[in-house]
Amino acid sequence: MSAFIVLGAQWGDEGKGKMTDYLAEGADVVVRFQGGNNAGHTVEVGDKKYKLHLIPSGVLYKNKLNVIGNGVVLDPKAMFEELDYLKNLGVTVTEDNLIVSDRAHLIMPYHKALDLAKEKARGKNDIGTTGKGIGPCYTDKAERCGIRVCDLLHKDVFKERLKENIEAKNQVLTKIYGLDELNFDEIYEEYLIYAEKLRPYVKDISVRVYNEIKAGKNVLFEGAQGNLLDIDYGTYPYVTSSNTIAGGVSIGAGIGPNLIDSAVGIAKAYTTRVGKGPFPTELLDEMGEHIRTVGHEYGVTTGRARRCGWLDIVILKSAARVSGLTSFAVTKIDTLAGIEKVKMCVGYEFNGEVIDYFPASLEDLALCKPIYEEFDGWDSSVETAKTYEELPKNAKIYLKRIEELTDTKISIVSVGPRRDQTIVVSEI
Ligand code: GDP
Ligand code: IMO
Ligand code: MG
């Protein structure tokens, strides 16, 4: 029996899609447990590139069960568009290989409208959200006025909930943000169509995932976003609205923590972030531009240029601690090839002391100065290495140092975007 988690260890876009796809070969079930279509997970198989947002990355294999958990916020329009996109690429998804939680909350048109309106109203203090309605949907969940998948399937319940919500949200949209009202009938009719399309997929996913684990099946939990976008442990308020850390699995898939065997943190060999918020090792110079160009660091969901910086061990230590990581998978080591001197932040200087934890207060974080170690670089032969031994010596020194400083082993090294550019070092 094995249940394991794949998590982003930084600010998202670490290569979770690639690693989930790789590890899914040995899994029977792949579960998304938080977030929504704010995620953008890229998987390259042969000469084909797939961009997934809401659908679990296990979908590219035949005979795997894919699960959208109760912790996910689900935009049905986006879901069916993604299923069409996959169909056009020859990937068939039916109720036999995808199930959706009856408890997942629905993203409604007013959530998207509010997301955009709130961002605009924040002005220069905007978060830089993806505009997919994620925050307002989780707000309604906590406020207890959200609409769940199971509510949508009951026409009368849905009608009542939608009426209440439209009335309340129209007040906010018109009176606070000066926007047009949303039309109840239009949304009601549109969502009734989704209800019937969604119905065959809907299940109690906690029961199903539990039974799969008990039956000795391998279950992979695919995280979205990353450690520092977690609503509790991230760079609040510059975070997403869900728990992206390992604890999110228990809540977002209805599975007790004792059933989880391992958690692998996906870490890029450097750091990126998309959207606003602090970033201690950010490179605003030519080196940052170089990494962005070589690493193709542009968002999958919004197309925005990703901010780039050196690897930050303080972040990785925090990820290892809060998620109980059993190992790291380090990706994009090839992107750093050709750089003469590669830097790694090993701690922060803060008020005359050296700290190795991530401060909660953004004001304190602003005072932190990264302390760097410098490493001799490596060449592009890293891209073709098939084993750990074949990696250039200096790349191995860099990787060893990550293990030493985080006190966590590296189980996988990724040397390129394709499935076959993956080196397994040990069990995850
Ligand atoms: P995710 O959100 O964590 O799934 O990551 P994204 O898909 O948003 O961004 C990661 C990008 O890096 C994608 O374009 C991947 O195809 C690519 N990628 C993943 N691993 C590697 C690697 O080891 N080397 C290179 N060069 N690209 C990689
Ligand atoms: P994957 O799964 C990187 C960021 C947004 C913004 C903040 C809040 O591909 O790693 P939201 O729309 O969630 O309210 O935006 O979170 N963000 C991501 N950044 N990768 C992601 O997903 C992200 N999902 C959200 O840019 O800063
Ligand atoms: Mg991404």
Side-chain angles (χ1 to χ4, degrees), residues 8 10-17 32 34-42 52-53 115 119 122 126-136 138 222-226 228-229 237-242 244 272-277 299-302 304 306-307:
Q10 294 151 323
W11 273 295
D13 304 324
E14 300 89 348
K16 295 176 295 292
R32 275 281 308 269
Q34 47 70 230
N37 60 320
N38 50 347
H41 296 179
T42 317
L52 298 158
H53 298 282
D115 194 356
E119 278 287 87
R122 285 183 192 114
D126 66 330
I127 293 165
T129 73
T130 59
K132 305 289 180 189
I134 306 296
Y138 280 116
E222 176 184 10
Q225 291 83 50
L228 283 184
L229 289 172
Y238 298 96
V239 292
T240 192
S241 300
S242 63
T244 61
T272 64
R273 153 159 232 183
V274 56
K276 298 271 191 84
V300 180
T301 301
T302 58
R304 290 177 290 178
R306 294 175 182 152
R307 299 155 63 193

Side-chain angles (χ1 to χ4, degrees), residues 13-18 40-42 44 300 306 331-332 334-335 414-417:
D13 304 324
E14 300 89 348
K16 295 176 295 292
K18 177 198 157 156
H41 296 179
T42 317
E44 285 191 31
V300 180
R306 294 175 182 152
T331 62
K332 299 195 112 167
D334 54 303
T335 299
S414 172
V415 296

Side-chain angles (χ1 to χ4, degrees), residues 293-336:
T293 307
V294 178
H296 307 291
E297 294 296 353
Y298 294 89
V300 180
T301 301
T302 58
R304 290 177 290 178
R306 294 175 182 152
R307 299 155 63 193
C308 299
W310 296 119
L311 184 70
D312 189 339
I313 292 293
V314 180
I315 295 175
L316 299 197
K317 275 189 165 179
S318 141
R321 187 183 69 252
V322 299
S323 283
L325 297 180
T326 46
S327 69
F328 280 111
V330 178
T331 62
K332 299 195 112 167
I333 188 97
D334 54 303
T335 299
L336 298 182

Side-chain angles (χ1 to χ4, degrees), residues 4-9 16 19 23 220-221 262-267 323-330 409-412 427-428:
F4 58 101
I5 314 175
V6 171
L7 292 168
K16 295 176 295 292
M19 292 317 310
L23 293 165
L220 188 167
F221 295 93
S262 51
V264 55
I266 316 301
S323 283
L325 297 180
T326 46
S327 69
F328 280 111
V330 178
K409 70 177 179 181
I410 292 173
S411 55
I412 300 176
E427 292 243 321
I428 56 168

